[in-house]
Amino acid sequence: MDYPYIDYPLFSYVNMVANNFWWEPEPDFDEEKGEQYFIKSPSFVPSRFARRYIDRQIDVSHLDKYLQAANEKPIFKHYKFSEIDDTNRHDLKKVQEENVPDISMTLKVYHLDISKFWYLCVCIKDWVEGKTCEGARISLPTHREELKNLTNELNKLNPKLFGSTIKTTGKAKLTLNVNGKNTVIEDTQTLTLLNVAVLNFLDSGICKTTIRVDGEKDEYIVHNPLLDTSELGTERLTKAKAKTIKLALFYKYLNWFLKEKEADNDIIANYPLSISINKDLLISRMAFFTGVTDNEKFLSADNSDKGFIRTAISGYEDVEIPTDNKYYGFG
């Protein structure tokens, strides 16, 4: 399937993240082998994001502050006393009150393009807002997740095979209620055999989908219609929880993008002033510039020169929220 903006230069960062996180397998058929397989098609997210951006459906009210912070400024600027009048004083005071940090050298030291980085951060912001909009319904666990939860619990028995006997640690009870009638299994050897059966099933070809990347490499992905579907439950995401999860997801995706970026030591060595190279602080500031948060505290460094976003998302670093995306459709 062809989507606009796949090769759009200013979306190169957007495509990188979207193609890693937000894509779905596209079916194809190998006539020589006589079998169906799936290919990793480019993500449609950049195209939909572009349309939403053009149609002004995304709040970018802090763009001016981002541009003020991101554009490189002269290190020293000379002001003539005669040039400073009441209007200039007012403007200078206003700039000071806005307290916009300078991130230009942070972007430069990581060789990040100002425009490409802006589009990436706004795209991530739009995605996570679609996932965490107030009142979003939370999906029930998928069939795979429920089976995995069962095996994770049964693994706590630490089964060991001794000849034809299975020895376990601890006790367990599985109760199955069908049409009002309970079936109870407490024998840990039986439960271990059940665990093995479920694990073998999950590892079988029935529960996996073969996918080809670039027409050459075959690999397995978890998405499978048999196991990875679920229904929307009645529980909804609360406003307070959505606020934290939104920040956590923003951090997750942007941190993935920045993780392999290395600071240019030559720039650092030849710049007369100190340059912040803390990626957490950069992510924290971008959370404010893109409007993920309106809390200006995120513009400042904490006592360890890191961003406040890590404190704000403590305990939610690996969060996954099973909600439909209001703006992009799938989870």
Side-chain angles (χ1 to χ4, degrees):
M1 189 175 294
D2 185 28
Y3 294 111
Y5 299 98
I6 287 178
D7 298 318
Y8 186 47
L10 288 178
F11 273 22
S12 60
Y13 296 174
V14 171
N15 280 296
M16 191 182 304
V17 172
N19 289 334
N20 185 76
F21 291 106
W22 309 319
W23 60 277
E24 289 186 321
E26 181 181 339
D28 206 338
F29 190 80
D30 189 327
E31 295 185 359
E32 291 186 3
K33 296 182 178 180
E35 62 183 23
Q36 187 183 46
Y37 63 96
F38 292 80
I39 60 174
K40 184 176 180 179
S41 59
S43 173
F44 72 89
V45 168
S47 178
R48 187 168 298 180
F49 162 68
R51 176 49 52 197
R52 285 178 51 76
Y53 196 98
I54 292 170
D55 291 344
R56 299 184 178 182
Q57 294 178 313
I58 305 173
D59 179 12
V60 291
S61 55
H62 290 171
L63 172 58
D64 288 344
K65 290 186 177 181
Y66 170 74
L67 293 176
Q68 180 183 340
N71 283 296
E72 191 173 350
K73 305 163 189 65
I75 300 175
F76 303 104
K77 187 173 182 179
H78 177 69
Y79 293 94
K80 293 181 180 179
F81 184 79
S82 59
E83 293 176 344
I84 302 177
D85 55 21
D86 291 339
T87 303
N88 289 333
R89 289 192 184 93
H90 175 74
D91 291 340
L92 289 171
K93 183 179 179 182
K94 183 180 178 182
V95 170
Q96 291 172 350
E97 288 175 349
E98 287 179 350
N99 193 29
V100 177
D102 184 355
I103 64 169
S104 62
M105 292 309 299
T106 305
L107 298 179
K108 187 173 183 177
V109 83
Y110 284 115
H111 297 285
L112 294 170
D113 181 274
I114 294 175
S115 298
K116 292 179 181 181
F117 193 61
W118 168 253
Y119 285 124
L120 169 63
C121 293
V122 176
C123 181
I124 294 175
K125 163 255 182 70
D126 197 44
W127 172 271
V128 302
E129 285 190 342
K131 286 287 286 180
T132 59
C133 57
E134 186 176 353
R137 291 174 64 186
I138 299 177
S139 301
L140 298 172
T142 65
H143 314 303
R144 186 192 301 270
E145 288 170 343
E146 291 195 311
L147 290 175
K148 285 295 295 180
N149 289 337
L150 174 63
T151 60
N152 288 339
E153 289 302 311
L154 291 176
N155 284 338
K156 294 177 182 179
L157 291 172
N158 298 315
K160 297 288 188 293
L161 181 63
F162 294 92
S164 59
T165 303
I166 298 174
K167 300 293 185 180
T168 60
T169 302
K171 298 179 180 180
K173 178 192 291 187
L174 179 64
T175 302
L176 178 66
N177 184 289
V178 179
N179 296 328
K181 181 180 178 180
N182 285 343
T183 299
V184 180
I185 303 176
E186 297 184 73
D187 178 65
T188 55
Q189 181 161 325
T190 303
L191 291 173
T192 298
L193 293 173
L194 175 63
N195 189 20
V196 171
V198 173
L199 287 171
N200 285 336
F201 172 70
L202 291 175
D203 196 45
S204 68
I206 298 175
C207 299
K208 294 181 178 180
T209 302
T210 305
I211 185 167
R212 294 188 182 181
V213 180
D214 299 327
E216 298 178 358
K217 182 180 177 182
D218 289 357
E219 60 182 27
Y220 288 107
I221 60 171
V222 296
H223 181 79
N224 183 290
L226 179 66
L227 289 174
D228 300 308
T229 56
S230 64
E231 297 180 357
L232 286 174
T234 57
E235 184 183 359
R236 293 182 181 272
L237 195 61
T238 64
K239 186 175 182 179
K241 191 173 182 180
K243 180 180 178 181
T244 302
I245 293 177
K246 184 192 305 184
L247 286 167
L249 290 176
F250 182 82
Y251 179 87
K252 170 186 174 180
Y253 298 128
L254 192 51
N255 182 60
W256 177 87
F257 173 77
L258 293 172
K259 191 173 183 180
E260 302 302 321
K261 303 291 182 184
E262 295 185 1
D264 189 324
N265 290 323
D266 288 337
I267 294 177
I268 296 173
N270 291 294
Y271 193 71
L273 303 178
S274 175
I275 301 175
S276 170
I277 61 172
N278 188 276
K279 295 176 182 178
D280 286 350
L281 179 56
L282 177 60
I283 295 173
S284 186
R285 287 170 167 171
M286 292 310 302
F288 176 82
F289 289 133
T290 56
V292 178
T293 178
D294 287 325
N295 189 343
E296 293 191 0
K297 181 176 74 172
F298 281 72
L299 292 174
S300 304
D302 60 14
N303 293 332
S304 56
D305 291 328
K306 296 181 179 180
F308 282 96
I309 194 169
R310 287 306 300 269
T311 302
I313 66 173
S314 179
Y316 287 86
E317 288 85 354
D318 299 318
V319 69
E320 294 290 343
I321 187 69
T323 58
D324 275 349
N325 196 304
K326 182 178 180 180
Y327 307 141
Y328 296 89
F330 68 94

